[in-house]
Amino acid sequence: MDRLAHLQKLAEPLNPSADQRAKARNSVLAHTEPFLESLTQSVAFCHQPNGGLALDSMPIGEAWPIDQALDLLAEEVLKPGINGASPRHMGYIPLSSLYTSALGDYMAAIYNKYSAMFTVAPGAVRMEHQLLRWMTDLIGFPKQAGGSLTSGGSLAYLAAIVTAREAFAIKAQNVSKAVVYHSGEVHHALTKALFIAGLGEAIVRIIDCDPHHRMDPTKLAQTVDADRRAGYLPWLLVASAGTVNTGIIDPLADLAQVAQDQHLWLHVDAAYGGFFLLCDTVKIPHLADLRHADSVVLDPHKGLFVPAGLGALLVRDASLLAAAHCFTADYLQDQVAGDIYSPADLSPELTRHFRSPRLWLPLMVHGVAPFRAALEEKLLLARYFHQRLSELPGFELGPVPDLSIVFFRYLPAQADPDPFNQALHAALMASGRFLLSTTRIHNRLTLRLALLSFRTHLQEVNELIDCLLVALEQVLNSFSTT
Ligand SMILES: *Cc1c(COP(=O)(O)O)cnc(C)c1O
C-alpha cells in the first residue's frame, strides 16, 4: 500500500490539473501564435543540415521545464528544413497546416476514441464513413463503394495493391506471371507497395506516353494483348490523376475501357490531383473519369490542406477491400459484426490515430466552399504563372497545366541548359524565401512550380516571378563572365 501511494504520487505529473493544463497550453500558444503571425515574412526553407543535433543537449530521462523544451523544439526542429506552413513553399507537393484541423487533432487526442471498431466507438466510425462517403460521392463511385482513412497516400497505395492482389487471387506460384502496367510518370509508392505486398517479382511494363506525358491507351492495349498471348497474367493497371513531375492526368476513360476489355484492376493515383474534382467550374481534362477506377488514392493532407498524416483509399466495391483486410481473434470476440464495417476490417491497422476530426472539423466549420475556392485559385494561379512566363523571352515551358504544377526552364543563348538551370534554381533558392524543386523531364533538368497551399495567393506568385527574374539576371551575368 505504501508503494502504491508512492507510485501514485510519482505518476501525478502525467495528469495535470486545470491550472497546469492552462499553463502548458499557454506555453504552446506562445510559440504557435507568433509562428502563424509571421508566415508572410518567414522563409520557406532554411538550409541547416545540423538541425536537430542539439536535441541531445536535453537528454531523455529527467523532466525539463516546458518553456525550455519548446525553445529547443523551435530552434532544432521548427527552423531547419522546409517550413511546412509557408505560402512560398512551391516545391515537390506543398503541404498546408489548416488551423481548424490542428484543433480537430487536439480534440481527437484528448477524447481518444477507439476508432478501429464500430461496437466500441459507433459515432467515431460513422464519422469516418461519412467522410469516406463524401469522397466516394465526389468521385462518382457507386453505393457499394467504401474505403479507409490512412496515415497517407503510401499506406493507402499498399492497401489498394493488397486488395487488387486478393481480388485477382494472385498467389505465390503465379506472382512471376502477373503483370503490372503503368507509365514512366508513376509515383514510386507503387513500386514500394508491390514490394511490401510480396509482389516484387511481378512483371512490370512501362507504357509509353504521348508528348504530353499521358499514358498511351493504344500502346497499353497492344502490350496487354501480347502478354496474354505469351501466357502471362495481365493484372493491374496504375494510372495517375496528377503526376508529381508534371501534374498531368492520364486519359482515364480510354484506359478504363482497356482495363474493362482486358480484365485489369484499374488503380488511379489521385493523391495530388483528386480533390481538384471540387473545382467544377473549371474544365480539367480527364479528371471526372476517375469514377471508372476500381480503386483510388486521395491525400487530404495535400488537396484538402490538412496537416501531414491523412490519406484515403477508396474502393469501388468495399467488400473487396474487406476481403483483403478482415481478420479476427479470440480477444476481439466481443465485437459482433454489424451492417457497418469497422475500420480495422478495411485497413492494415488496428489501434490507430483517431484521424477523422482533423478533416471533419474543418469541413464542419468552413463548409466545402472555401476549399473549392482555394483549389480553383491554385489552378488559375498556375495558369497565370504559365502565361506570364510564356510572355518572357528565353523560357521554355511545358503545356498549359492540367492542375497546379508548371514546369519550365530557361534556354540560354550560349551555355549548356542543364548547368544553367541548376544555377538558376540555386540562385532562386539562396535566400530561402521561396522553395521550388527541380526534376528531370525528357532527361533534361527542369524547374517546377507546384502550388497547393491555401495560403498561396497572387501576391506570392508575382513576388516569385520578380525573384526569378532577379536570379536569372545574376546567373546570366555569372555565365557570361566565366
Ligand atoms: C504524395 C504522393 C504519393 C504518396 O503519398 P504520401 O501521402 O506521401 O504517402 C503518391 N502519389 C502521388 C501522386 C503523390 O503526390
Side-chain angles (χ1 to χ4, degrees):
M1 287 303 150
D2 285 351
R3 180 70 183 154
L4 280 176
H6 178 62
L7 292 174
Q8 181 174 338
K9 184 102 195 101
L10 279 183
E12 224 161 53
L14 300 184
N15 198 10
S17 67
D19 283 351
Q20 290 165 328
R21 289 198 298 272
K23 192 172 164 292
R25 203 163 51 235
N26 287 336
S27 293
V28 168
L29 291 177
H31 280 83
T32 54
E33 282 304 309
F35 170 79
L36 289 172
E37 287 301 309
S38 68
L39 281 174
T40 47
Q41 293 97 49
S42 49
V43 294
F45 183 76
C46 175
H47 182 73
Q48 205 175 302
N50 286 339
L53 281 181
L55 285 169
D56 282 340
S57 69
M58 286 168 64
I60 290 170
E62 64 183 289
W64 302 90
I66 189 166
D67 291 319
Q68 203 178 326
L70 294 179
D71 286 344
L72 188 68
L73 184 149
E75 198 52 37
E76 292 298 311
V77 180
L78 177 60
K79 213 161 132 201
I82 295 177
N83 178 339
S86 170
R88 289 172 305 283
H89 174 4
M90 303 172 176
Y92 312 101
I93 303 287
L95 303 183
S96 307
S97 70
L98 199 60
Y99 190 69
T100 45
S101 189
L103 297 180
D105 257 346
Y106 177 76
M107 299 188 77
I110 286 178
Y111 296 158
N112 205 22
K113 298 301 288 186
Y114 196 79
S115 67
M117 298 278 188
F118 177 69
T119 44
V120 300
V125 171
R126 286 209 166 94
M127 179 184 276
E128 180 163 339
H129 284 303
Q130 184 192 17
L131 291 167
L132 290 161
R133 174 60 56 201
W134 176 65
M135 293 180 210
T136 53
D137 286 349
L138 180 67
I139 290 178
F141 266 3
K143 230 175 85 76
Q144 68 272 25
S148 155
L149 292 183
T150 64
S151 58
S154 299
L155 257 290
Y157 233 115
L158 176 62
I161 296 305
V162 171
T163 303
R165 183 192 70 197
E166 293 308 298
F168 276 60
I170 310 279
K171 304 290 176 202
Q173 73 264 21
N174 54 16
V175 168
S176 60
K177 292 198 146 198
V179 195
V180 181
Y181 305 87
H182 61 76
S183 82
E185 297 287 315
V186 82
H187 194 278
H188 72 281
L190 168 65
T191 318
K192 191 167 170 180
L194 287 170
F195 179 80
I196 297 171
L199 300 164
E201 286 146 35
I203 299 164
V204 170
R205 303 271 186 241
I206 311 240
I207 306 300
D208 289 344
C209 289
D210 69 12
H212 284 178
H213 311 276
R214 299 184 213 276
M215 199 193 300
D216 182 334
T218 311
K219 293 253 169 60
L220 170 69
Q222 290 164 352
T223 311
V224 180
D225 272 336
D227 280 337
R228 230 181 259 294
R229 279 197 305 273
Y232 294 116
L233 300 171
W235 162 52
L236 174 68
L237 168 60
V238 179
S240 304
T243 60
V244 171
N245 243 359
T246 63
I248 68 92
I249 300 169
D250 282 322
L252 298 176
D254 292 347
L255 294 177
Q257 191 59 54
V258 178
Q260 196 188 343
D261 296 346
Q262 299 278 3
H263 186 54
L264 303 173
W265 181 280
L266 173 59
H267 175 74
V268 183
D269 179 353
Y272 152 62
F275 286 109
F276 283 102
L277 273 172
L278 288 167
C279 305
D280 45 14
T281 51
V282 180
K283 172 107 185 76
I284 302 172
H286 307 300
L287 192 58
D289 296 319
L290 208 50
R291 68 183 189 281
H292 300 301
D294 293 298
S295 54
V296 172
V297 167
L298 296 176
D299 253 347
H301 65 201
K302 290 175 180 160
L304 291 179
F305 319 122
V306 168
L310 194 64
L313 169 62
L314 307 169
V315 181
R316 162 177 292 277
D317 178 351
S319 71
L320 296 176
L321 178 60
H325 290 93
C326 188
F327 291 80
T328 191
D330 291 343
Y331 43 81
L332 296 178
Q333 63 184 343
D334 301 338
Q335 303 296 319
V336 285
D339 59 350
I340 187 160
Y341 284 116
S342 283
D345 296 338
L346 301 171
S347 118
E349 295 178 301
L350 181 58
T351 308
R352 62 212 277 271
H353 182 195
F354 176 28
R355 50 178 71 104
S356 296
R358 66 204 322 269
L359 178 56
W360 179 84
L361 189 64
L363 287 171
M364 283 298 115
V365 302
H366 307 306
V368 175
F371 292 90
R372 213 186 281 285
L375 286 168
E376 184 177 337
E377 182 192 27
K378 300 301 102 70
L379 289 178
L380 297 185
L381 285 174
R383 291 175 189 191
Y384 168 80
F385 179 82
H386 186 274
Q387 168 81 30
R388 285 278 313 268
L389 244 58
S390 71
E391 290 162 1
L392 295 169
F395 283 98
E396 181 189 60
L397 286 136
V400 174
D402 281 0
L403 298 172
S404 65
I405 294 175
V406 184
F407 55 98
F408 61 97
R409 47 189 222 139
Y410 188 81
L411 292 180
Q414 257 102 48
D416 179 349
D418 272 19
F420 186 95
N421 281 283
Q422 189 81 68
L424 178 59
H425 178 252
L428 185 61
M429 292 306 95
S431 72
R433 184 148 174 87
F434 285 92
L435 176 74
L436 267 72
S437 48
T438 63
T439 186
R440 298 195 75 82
I441 292 176
H442 298 310
N443 204 26
R444 289 185 296 226
L445 190 118
T446 305
L447 280 79
R448 96 190 237 300
L449 170 87
L451 303 175
L452 202 57
S453 168
F454 65 89
R455 293 192 177 95
T456 303
H457 305 299
L458 182 61
Q459 185 184 333
E460 281 75 28
V461 175
N462 277 332
E463 191 195 329
L464 171 71
I465 296 171
D466 294 344
C467 290
L468 180 64
L469 293 179
V470 171
L472 177 63
E473 218 30 62
Q474 280 170 16
V475 178
L476 282 170
N477 286 335
S478 76
F479 270 70
S480 68
T481 55
T482 52

